[in-house]
Amino acid sequence: MSTAPDPSRHRTAGAAAPDAPRTGAARNLTLATFASVVGFWGWTVIAPLGTRYAHDLGLNAAQTGALVAMPVLVGAIGRVPVGVLTDKFGGRRLLILILLLTAPLVLLVALAGSLKSYGLLLGVGFFLGVAGTVFTAGIPFSAAWYPKSRQGFATGIFGMGMGGTALSAFLTPRLVTAFGYWPTHVIIAVLLVATAAIVFFFMRESPTWAPVMHGSFGKLLAAARMPVTWQLCFLYAVVFGGFVSFSTYLPTYLRDIYSFDLTAAGTRTAGFALAAVIARPIGGIIADRVGPRPVVLVSLAGVAVLAFVVNMQPPPEVPTGLTFLAMAAALGFGTGGVFAWVGRRAPAGTVGAVTGVVSAAGGLGGYFPPLVMGATYNAQQHSYAIGLLLLVATALVALVLAALMGRSRAAQPR
């Protein structure tokens, strides 16, 4: 039997005739999601210990905000080239590479923290951002196993990998307490390497996937020229960026506003991340049924209202907890809806490139808010009013944009 590539294979997800997953889809989607969970844990390993670093290194709010946001920067920028490389080499290879690169960086974080060097910790945090590109490698990999009618489901399930932030927030402080600072980082590094081995031995590319051997840069430019790409970039910057920024800065916020200690703040941050993780596939599945636009509109309206409620500083525990859980659910719901929109709008052969650009925008959306929150924090009044009201305004602008996109949807490729 010939092993030559079948020219009838399409380069993008959803090209196969049967409206059903391919054989092995569930296994590969599950393993890819697990790889994403571990990658997100490595990506956000600094944030749960932000209050520890602030105390040990004598950092102010602005310095702490810059530290916890730094890994997000490369995680955002790196998603563009990783999206193109995924089209060329496949998500499986990229996932292995990203996980293996992240492991030594986690150990360098431990070294920088032990030396109590803010500069070194900031520098290592910059390169740690490579772990954040795991999302861009996994989205087209997962979607390729499913037809277009179920890509909202596939990308929503894979998006649950952002639950690695919940694991990071919940387990990292506890592991430090139980085993110590250095052993905790060694455990995470070993887990990253072990996960890379699992990906190597047990994951395979979809039979519909074929490498894009030329024109990758052209596809990136083509994606960048499409107005819908930038519209989706802005929407994703609000919903996914909001999730990332809250997940990284929430421990600091809870310390400053409610005086929670490291473990208590981590537990609540984990609950926030978990709520968003659960809501993401729900948003994707509903978007498959009723369309992405209503899902995104509901999400953005919820974000705007709830950000205003957060600014009012509801009292702990129940009112605050319910408010942040609802905020997380709104953000997770929206991320599922936006990427279902990407699946419908991305032209054939550009899924990786469009995914890279849009997810990069989401990462950048998570980079700037912690900086703004740290820079605008009013220590005398214990208030983050400026940052939260800016979120309200941004969500409202995004809401208008999503409504206008829906009106012109008939003129857009689906």
Side-chain angles (χ1 to χ4, degrees), residues 175-198:
L175 289 174
V176 169
T177 301
F179 301 106
Y181 180 75
W182 258 104
T184 294
H185 289 78
V186 171
I187 290 170
I188 297 170
V190 170
L191 179 60
L192 285 158
V193 174
T195 304
I198 291 173

Side-chain angles (χ1 to χ4, degrees), residues 192-273:
L192 285 158
V193 174
T195 304
I198 291 173
V199 173
F200 179 81
F201 287 110
F202 298 106
M203 282 176 55
R204 295 293 180 266
E205 296 288 348
S206 166
T208 65
W209 179 82
V212 179
M213 300 308 297
H214 56 81
S216 296
F217 185 69
K219 292 180 184 296
L220 183 61
L221 289 178
R225 290 192 185 106
M226 294 186 295
V228 70
T229 300
W230 297 106
Q231 293 167 348
L232 291 169
C233 279
F234 181 66
L235 297 181
Y236 201 61
V238 176
V239 290
F240 183 74
F243 165 75
V244 172
S245 56
F246 270 110
S247 296
T248 55
Y249 201 76
L250 195 54
T252 301
Y253 179 92
L254 294 175
R255 178 201 64 187
D256 292 338
I257 302 300
Y258 296 107
S259 300
F260 287 128
D261 62 26
L262 186 65
T263 301
T267 300
R268 287 156 180 80
T269 302
F272 175 92

Side-chain angles (χ1 to χ4, degrees), residues 4-397:
D6 184 353
S8 66
R9 286 182 181 175
H10 206 289
R11 282 185 166 86
T12 59
D19 189 30
R22 287 86 191 174
T23 302
R27 173 174 57 86
N28 281 279
L29 177 58
T30 300
L31 292 176
T33 304
F34 174 71
S36 182
V37 168
V38 177
F40 265 78
W41 189 352
W43 188 31
T44 57
V45 72
I46 291 177
L49 303 178
T51 55
R52 173 193 175 108
Y53 294 131
H55 177 268
D56 292 350
L57 279 62
L59 307 180
N60 58 34
Q63 290 172 316
T64 304
L67 178 61
V68 300
M70 186 54 67
V72 180
L73 180 61
V74 174
I77 298 173
R79 290 180 174 195
V80 176
V82 167
V84 175
L85 291 173
T86 299
D87 279 340
K88 186 172 184 178
F89 297 107
R92 174 179 170 272
R93 292 181 182 177
L94 268 295
L95 287 171
I96 293 169
L97 179 62
I98 291 165
L99 292 167
L100 291 178
L101 289 175
T102 304
L105 290 168
V106 169
L107 297 179
L108 288 175
V109 168
L111 176 62
S114 298
L115 296 175
K116 296 185 179 181
S117 170
Y118 178 69
L120 182 58
L121 195 58
L122 204 63
V124 175
F126 177 87
F127 290 104
L128 184 65
V130 70
T133 63
V134 69
F135 180 82
T136 307
I139 281 285
F141 172 89
S142 301
W145 281 97
Y146 289 81
K148 274 192 177 292
S149 63
R150 298 199 64 193
Q151 285 185 1
F153 164 80
T155 57
I157 293 296
F158 175 78
M160 293 181 72
M162 66 189 191
T165 60
L167 279 182
S168 183
F170 184 80
L171 290 180
T172 303
R174 286 170 168 77
L175 289 174
V176 169
T177 301
F179 301 106
Y181 180 75
W182 258 104
T184 294
H185 289 78
V186 171
I187 290 170
I188 297 170
V190 170
L191 179 60
L192 285 158
V193 174
T195 304
I198 291 173
V199 173
F200 179 81
F201 287 110
F202 298 106
M203 282 176 55
R204 295 293 180 266
E205 296 288 348
S206 166
T208 65
W209 179 82
V212 179
M213 300 308 297
H214 56 81
S216 296
F217 185 69
K219 292 180 184 296
L220 183 61
L221 289 178
R225 290 192 185 106
M226 294 186 295
V228 70
T229 300
W230 297 106
Q231 293 167 348
L232 291 169
C233 279
F234 181 66
L235 297 181
Y236 201 61
V238 176
V239 290
F240 183 74
F243 165 75
V244 172
S245 56
F246 270 110
S247 296
T248 55
Y249 201 76
L250 195 54
T252 301
Y253 179 92
L254 294 175
R255 178 201 64 187
D256 292 338
I257 302 300
Y258 296 107
S259 300
F260 287 128
D261 62 26
L262 186 65
T263 301
T267 300
R268 287 156 180 80
T269 302
F272 175 92
L274 184 60
V277 166
I278 294 172
R280 178 164 188 147
I282 295 174
I285 292 169
I286 294 177
D288 283 341
R289 295 178 178 272
V290 303
R293 176 176 171 265
V295 172
V296 175
L297 290 175
V298 169
S299 165
L300 292 169
V303 170
V305 171
L306 291 164
F308 185 79
V309 174
V310 170
N311 180 56
M312 298 173 65
Q313 298 185 11
E317 286 278 344
V318 174
T320 301
L322 291 177
T323 299
F324 276 109
L325 287 177
M327 171 68 81
L331 292 168
F333 195 67
T335 57
V338 171
F339 255 97
W341 223 335
V342 171
R344 295 189 179 203
R345 298 292 187 90
T350 65
V351 175
V354 174
T355 297
V357 175
V358 174
S359 59
L364 286 175
Y367 173 70
F368 291 105
L371 300 180
V372 173
M373 295 287 276
T376 60
Y377 174 58
N378 188 322
Q380 286 73 32
Q381 298 180 5
H382 296 283
S383 172
Y384 283 99
I386 294 176
L388 291 168
L389 292 177
L390 284 174
L391 175 57
V392 173
T394 304
L396 291 175
V397 171

